[in-house]
Amino acid sequence: MSDYRIETKCIQSGYTPKNGEPRIVPIVQSTTFKYDDSDEMGQLFDLEKSGYFYTRLQNPTNDAVAAKICDLEGGVAAMLTSSGQAANFYAIMNIAEAGDHIICSSAVYGGTYNLYAHTIRKMGIQATFVDPDCTEEELNAAFQENTKAVVGETIANPALTVLDIEKFAKAAHAHGVPLIVDNTFATPINCRPFEWGADIVTHSTTKYMDGHAACVGGAIVDSGNFDWEKYADKFPGLTTPDETYHGLVYTERFGKGAYITKATAQMMRDLGSIQSPQNAFLLNLGLETLHLRMPRHCENALKAAQYLQAHEKVAWVNCPDLEGDKYHELAKKYLPNGSCGVITFGLKGGRDAAVRMMDFLKMIAIVTHVADARSCVLHPASHTHRQMNEQELLEAGVQPDLIRFSVGLENIEDIIADLQQALEEV
């Protein structure tokens, strides 16, 4: 589908029915697949043959949806996971092990920060967090001999920092490691990180890709551009024999598909964070309208930001699409068609006023979610980022009074009216 435009890919990629087959991606809700030949089953287990034998490793519904996301991002291979957190975990663990090190932008989702700062540290992998606005010299100084990857978010959740992808890619490649970019907020509709030098993209498909708060999921996409063999000593898991598959070498056997094949054959085999076929089916329905929903999200978010910016009780507003926003110039470069539907703001009354204002909202709900059709708010310091101390919150771009506002697809006049009546109560 590479010759089609992205709107067509949202609908058509990943699955082409043959004569008499279902028009839409079918739900293959089966744990196992029958074979008449024992030797054929053995070849599947040894990765000598392609096919389906157990859904934890591969499923036709999941593969079709992963192929669509792969095509949207312009990659060579992709896989689905049970959540965005699983995708971010697998993306690192697929190439790093105890004794290794990664570099991560400090402006990332709180759960991702906790995953890299604390959880993988218990597995022997250290993370250094860098200011996304750091200089090239400061970024290069963070690398160590054992660094295996650099990680960032296209648009940080909830700091709304726009990552300078080219700067981070240049540093990563100069040190012989891949750049992994979480593209959840922008989606491939508004940014395709591979075109700016990123090597691997992850997604929480739970957000805009699903778009309806119906199913949790994640995805990993490989660009196929990083040369693992060139840095074979850094990535022995991909370039040396895997004894659990009779000495198979992933880069030799699978070429540009090596990274995703290993993530499936090892990570998913042993850890099992598979997305259910039912959720993959629902995700695909969301993907079919992604190109229609994202422009409306961006339009509504900008209008809401402009309203809040002019309100006397509002102290500040972050929205990369706003003229004068700190990241507006980077947004114009990487996100020329709009950033996302999420904005943040704070009130002059501080943290207490922010929490009170949220309690007075009627249509706009307080939920632990973001980036779906319904408008919602959250106070990250009290909710998603509450595990962080004050210093960590500030490094992640989370002020104490920050309200994360995910602007939905409702009529913008109704959204603004709800904001107005709540602000009057503060």
Side-chain angles (χ1 to χ4, degrees):
M1 298 292 291
S2 59
D3 294 335
Y4 288 99
R5 292 168 177 81
I6 200 161
E7 296 87 351
T8 304
K9 291 180 179 183
C10 281
I11 299 167
Q12 296 285 352
S13 284
Y15 174 71
T16 303
K18 297 178 179 144
N19 187 52
E21 291 185 339
R23 181 68 182 88
I24 64 171
V25 177
I27 305 172
V28 182
Q29 193 65 47
S30 178
T31 60
T32 50
F33 300 82
K34 176 184 177 294
Y35 287 88
D36 295 329
D37 188 319
S38 178
D39 287 339
E40 185 175 7
M41 179 71 83
Q43 291 176 47
L44 291 168
F45 270 98
D46 285 345
L47 305 183
E48 294 176 356
K49 185 172 183 177
S50 179
Y52 302 100
F53 55 97
Y54 196 59
T55 282
R56 187 174 79 240
L57 292 169
Q58 283 183 292
N59 176 281
T61 307
N62 291 28
D63 282 0
V65 181
K68 175 176 285 189
I69 294 172
C70 185
D71 201 20
L72 290 173
E73 285 287 7
V76 298
M79 64 187 292
L80 299 186
T81 61
S82 59
S83 68
Q85 280 295 86
N88 286 330
F89 178 59
Y90 283 11
I92 292 297
M93 298 306 294
N94 198 38
I95 52 176
E97 58 188 39
D100 286 339
H101 170 259
I102 65 169
I103 295 169
C104 184
S105 166
S106 61
V108 291
Y109 169 60
T112 304
Y113 181 93
N114 196 69
L115 171 66
Y116 293 155
H118 303 291
T119 301
I120 67 170
R121 185 176 64 191
K122 297 174 184 176
M123 302 174 183
I125 300 171
Q126 299 292 324
T128 296
F129 291 88
V130 298
D131 187 330
D133 300 327
C134 66
T135 64
E136 290 188 22
E137 292 75 16
E138 290 169 333
L139 180 54
N140 282 306
F143 284 85
Q144 301 175 11
E145 286 295 319
N146 57 344
T147 301
K148 294 299 176 70
V150 180
V151 186
E153 295 178 357
T154 309
I155 306 170
N157 175 15
L160 300 184
T161 302
V162 177
L163 188 72
D164 190 341
I165 301 173
E166 285 190 316
K167 178 179 75 175
F168 275 75
K170 179 181 177 182
H173 297 159
H175 293 271
V177 300
L179 173 62
I180 302 173
V181 174
D182 184 328
N183 199 33
T184 295
F185 268 17
T187 81
I189 301 302
N190 287 344
C191 183
R192 287 156 58 96
F194 294 155
E195 296 175 358
W196 300 100
D199 301 290
I200 296 159
V201 158
T202 63
H203 283 278
S204 170
T205 61
T206 315
K207 310 304 189 298
Y208 287 121
M209 283 189 165
D210 164 30
H212 302 85
C215 57
V216 175
I220 308 173
V221 187
D222 182 13
S223 69
N225 294 330
F226 191 82
D227 189 348
W228 307 104
E229 288 283 359
K230 183 178 179 181
Y231 306 100
D233 291 343
K234 281 182 177 288
F235 305 103
L238 285 162
T239 62
T240 61
D242 179 356
E243 296 308 321
T244 67
Y245 284 106
H246 309 295
L248 174 151
V249 178
Y250 291 96
T251 51
E252 291 179 1
R253 175 74 66 84
F254 300 104
K256 289 184 178 293
Y259 177 87
I260 292 296
T261 300
K262 179 178 180 293
T264 302
Q266 276 189 2
M267 297 292 102
M268 197 64 78
R269 176 196 66 190
D270 296 342
L271 300 173
S273 300
I274 189 68
Q275 187 169 150
S276 74
Q278 178 70 54
N279 278 8
F281 174 82
L282 293 172
L283 167 59
N284 188 59
L285 295 181
L287 289 170
E288 290 181 351
T289 61
L290 184 63
H291 62 293
L292 299 173
R293 292 183 284 105
M294 287 307 294
R296 178 62 176 267
H297 277 295
C298 293
E299 177 188 345
N300 277 358
L302 180 56
K303 289 179 179 178
Q306 290 168 338
Y307 167 77
L308 290 166
Q309 190 176 50
H311 199 285
E312 60 180 8
K313 293 184 181 180
V314 176
W316 57 269
V317 179
N318 285 337
C319 171
D321 295 329
L322 268 179
E323 291 281 351
D325 185 90
K326 181 179 180 180
Y327 296 101
H328 187 61
E329 291 305 312
L330 277 177
K332 286 198 298 185
K333 175 181 178 178
Y334 294 115
L335 306 148
N337 298 320
S339 56
C340 65
V342 180
I343 64 176
T344 59
F345 65 98
L347 301 184
K348 292 178 181 177
R351 178 171 182 159
D352 291 342
V355 172
R356 287 203 313 275
M357 179 262 181
M358 289 167 52
D359 289 344
F360 284 112
L361 291 166
K362 296 178 180 177
M363 179 187 73
I364 302 168
I366 302 173
V367 298
T368 309
H369 200 248
V370 69
D372 67 65
R374 301 162 188 83
S375 291
C376 59
V377 292
L378 193 77
H379 185 245
S382 300
H383 304 139
T384 55
H385 291 60
R386 69 180 299 124
Q387 297 93 345
M388 292 183 174
N389 60 42
E390 289 188 12
Q391 182 60 35
E392 289 172 338
L393 285 170
L394 292 175
E395 289 176 358
V398 180
Q399 300 94 314
D401 62 337
L402 183 149
I403 296 172
R404 185 183 70 181
F405 181 19
S406 178
V407 187
L409 301 178
E410 303 94 348
N411 185 285
I412 188 58
E413 297 302 324
D414 293 328
I415 294 171
I416 289 175
D418 199 19
L419 291 172
Q420 182 177 356
Q421 65 83 23
L423 286 166
E424 289 174 356
E425 300 291 338
V426 177

